[in-house]
């Protein structure tokens, strides 16, 4: 994926023309293993994908510069080259490829049509949450501890955002311990804001590398590492009121990090971490690489890398705001150059009808 493609991911996603889309009633639900699903063909038709191909186990939908691909038996899908980890794998039944209704409504829909989110938060207040601190060092890396790297990225992002006129609030701005519940409570004192939690990963597997982004699991679906939902997964969390915005913010942040940091893409995943579960504002948790990986850790230890991660947070905020802005609630098209190589796409607002 080119620099420009990722940069413009969200704008490109708006290229899907709802003009071809039909009323929601045109979804035809298919029951499989006790869960509602829709067919990939139904998704193609609803969102106006003009090309639908499959070979072997894999499928691909495309229109203009937007694509969605995956394979049967896998929870991974790529939307414009960005990896998302679905709650349930794609299935094949009677020659039809099925996607769970949950993944349609909580993942595909907000990513493809972010402008349709009702009352999407469009705040200029950003809460930066530097993970860990004080006696909680976080992951211990080859070149330093997570708590110091997260605080440095948060400070850099604060400076950049402040210069752009955003109000920035930090859950911590020094090396001190703050319990997770207090971080969420702090976020909830700012009702019209975005929450970005900054972390770095560790693993016993020294080969684990790359970036991943966590967004709150919708009610009733398992977190990414579980086999099936647990009883507790059916409790409604405060953060679930923001499911759609959470997914858009995660997409914006993940795409920005991929572009800026050029790290392996581990995907946008689901979790119920306290800080994204208990907040009432849109939130996301970023994992900017592995402090336990030889290459990742050396990069994370460099100020230049952390500055790029800070820039990616700024990009994420801007992309998110554009995506959920009221302007995008109308059908939009992206105008590419005739040769298809384009690049600054022009968003064309079409008359409502
Ligand atoms: Zn952490």
């Amino acid at each position: 994926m080119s620099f420009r493609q990722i940069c413009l991911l969200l704008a490109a996603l708006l290229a899907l023309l709802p003009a071809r889309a039909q009323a929601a009633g045109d979804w035809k639900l298919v029951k499989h293993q006790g869960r509602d699903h829709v067919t990939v063909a139904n998704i193609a038709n609803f969102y106006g994908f003009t090309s639908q191909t499959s070979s072997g186990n894999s499928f691909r939908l495309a229109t203009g510069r937007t694509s969605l691909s995956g394979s049967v038996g896998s929870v991974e899908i790529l939307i414009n080259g960005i990896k998302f980890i679905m709650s349930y794998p794609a299935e094949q039944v009677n020659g039809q490829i099925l996607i769970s209704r949950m993944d349609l409504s909580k993942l595909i829909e907000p990513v493809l049509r972010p402008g349709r989110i009702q009352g999407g938060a469009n705040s200029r207040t950003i809460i930066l949450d530097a993970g860990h601190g004080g006696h909680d060092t976080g992951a211990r890396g080859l070149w330093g501890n997570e708590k110091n790297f997260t605080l440095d990225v948060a400070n850099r992002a604060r400076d950049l955002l402040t210069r752009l006129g955003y109000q920035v609030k930090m859950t911590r701005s020094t090396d001190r311990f703050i319990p997770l519940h207090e971080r969420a409570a702090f976020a909830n004192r700012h009702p019209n804001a975005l929450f970005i939690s900054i972390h770095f990963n560790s693993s016993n597997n020294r080969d684990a590398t790359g970036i991943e982004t966590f967004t709150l699991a919708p009610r009733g679906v398992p977190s990414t590492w579980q086999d099936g939902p647990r009883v507790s997964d059916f409790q409604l969390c405060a953060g679930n009121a923001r499911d759609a915005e959470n997914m858009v913010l995660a997409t914006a942040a993940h795409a920005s990090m991929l572009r800026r940091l050029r790290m392996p893409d581990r995907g946008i995943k689901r979790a119920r971490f306290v800080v994204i579960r208990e907040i009432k504002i849109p939130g996301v948790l970023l994992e900017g690489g592995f402090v336990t990986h030889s290459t990742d850790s050396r990069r994370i230890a460099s100020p230049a890398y952390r500055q790029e991660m800070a820039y990616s947070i700024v990009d994420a905020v801007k992309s998110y705001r554009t995506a959920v802005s009221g302007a995008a609630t109308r059908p939009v098209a992206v105008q590419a150059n005739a040769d298809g190589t384009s690049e600054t796409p022009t968003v064309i607002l079409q008359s409502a009808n």
Side-chain angles (χ1 to χ4, degrees):
M1 176 172 302
S2 78
F3 178 94
R4 204 67 192 165
Q5 277 174 313
I6 300 176
C7 177
L8 298 168
L9 170 76
L10 286 171
L13 293 175
L14 297 175
L16 288 165
L17 279 169
R20 282 176 52 98
Q22 299 137 13
D26 289 330
W27 288 115
K28 188 165 178 294
L29 297 178
V30 180
K31 265 270 196 278
H32 176 62
Q33 292 181 339
R35 273 194 299 276
D36 286 340
H37 293 74
V38 295
T39 65
V40 166
N42 200 171
I43 292 172
N45 187 41
F46 185 90
Y47 291 107
F49 284 101
T50 51
S51 148
Q52 182 183 350
T53 52
S54 59
S55 74
N57 273 348
S58 56
F59 59 89
R60 184 172 193 276
L61 306 178
T63 190
R65 298 190 300 123
T66 301
S67 64
L68 187 159
S69 59
S71 54
V72 172
S74 171
V75 289
E76 292 187 10
I77 54 168
L78 295 177
I79 301 180
N80 279 14
I82 305 287
K83 189 187 292 181
F84 294 81
I85 312 299
M86 297 192 292
S87 298
Y88 301 100
E91 308 266 4
Q92 190 155 32
V93 177
N94 299 328
Q96 295 271 29
I97 300 172
L98 306 179
I99 299 287
S100 80
R101 179 188 193 173
M102 193 64 100
D103 287 305
L104 170 69
S105 65
K106 299 292 187 179
L107 193 169
I108 293 172
E109 166 67 15
V111 171
L112 293 186
R113 302 197 301 180
R116 296 205 162 207
I117 298 169
Q118 293 296 314
N122 202 10
S123 170
R124 289 188 69 82
T125 302
I126 313 299
I127 297 170
L128 297 176
D129 177 47
H132 312 280
H135 66 76
D136 172 13
T137 56
R140 292 169 188 273
L142 306 168
W143 296 81
N145 290 333
E146 181 186 1
K147 68 170 186 176
N148 299 321
F149 297 140
T150 61
L151 181 58
D152 184 70
V153 171
N155 283 333
R156 290 169 186 274
R158 175 198 56 203
D159 292 348
L160 295 171
L161 288 164
T162 304
R163 235 177 280 156
L164 292 172
Y166 290 93
Q167 275 241 24
V168 178
K169 308 284 181 189
M170 315 264 289
T171 54
R172 71 178 177 99
S173 53
T174 57
D175 180 20
R176 66 191 182 103
F177 175 75
I178 301 171
L180 297 174
H181 295 281
E182 280 182 28
R183 294 169 191 255
F186 176 85
N188 288 336
R189 289 199 283 277
H190 305 279
N192 187 24
L194 299 177
F195 181 87
I196 298 173
S197 189
I198 301 161
H199 287 255
F200 293 92
N201 249 324
S202 68
S203 174
N204 291 331
N205 172 7
R206 297 285 152 144
D207 293 331
T209 174
I211 57 166
E212 55 195 13
T213 296
F214 287 95
T215 181
L216 179 62
R219 184 183 196 177
V221 308
S223 297
T224 292
W225 309 274
Q226 289 169 235
D227 282 340
R230 303 172 185 158
V231 172
S232 62
D233 294 342
F234 288 89
Q235 288 169 1
L236 189 64
C237 308
N240 286 129
R242 302 295 197 160
D243 278 348
E245 290 151 282
N246 291 340
M247 180 49 81
V248 176
L249 183 58
T251 305
H254 196 68
S256 300
M257 286 204 295
L258 285 176
R259 174 170 69 85
R260 291 263 184 193
L261 303 178
R262 302 193 168 262
M263 293 277 266
D265 181 0
R266 298 173 65 86
I268 296 172
K269 301 180 175 180
R270 298 293 197 180
R272 288 187 174 81
F273 301 135
V274 170
V275 290
I276 54 173
R277 186 179 75 210
E278 295 188 356
I279 57 173
K280 296 173 181 165
I281 55 177
V284 69
L285 189 144
L286 314 178
E287 294 278 4
F290 282 77
V291 297
T292 45
H293 182 266
S294 59
T295 311
D296 285 19
S297 62
R298 211 170 324 128
R299 294 191 65 197
I300 293 164
S302 84
Y305 181 88
R306 299 195 300 271
Q307 184 69 14
E308 281 303 307
M309 189 167 170
Y311 274 121
S312 71
I313 289 171
V314 175
D315 291 349
V317 168
K318 290 184 185 169
S319 300
Y320 172 85
R321 284 167 51 85
T322 303
V324 301
S325 69
T329 59
R330 297 283 178 246
V332 291
V334 173
Q335 197 173 50
N337 292 343
D339 63 1
T341 60
S342 74
E343 285 313 343
T344 304
T346 309
V347 177
I348 304 165
L349 296 181
Q350 303 193 329
S351 59
N353 48 30

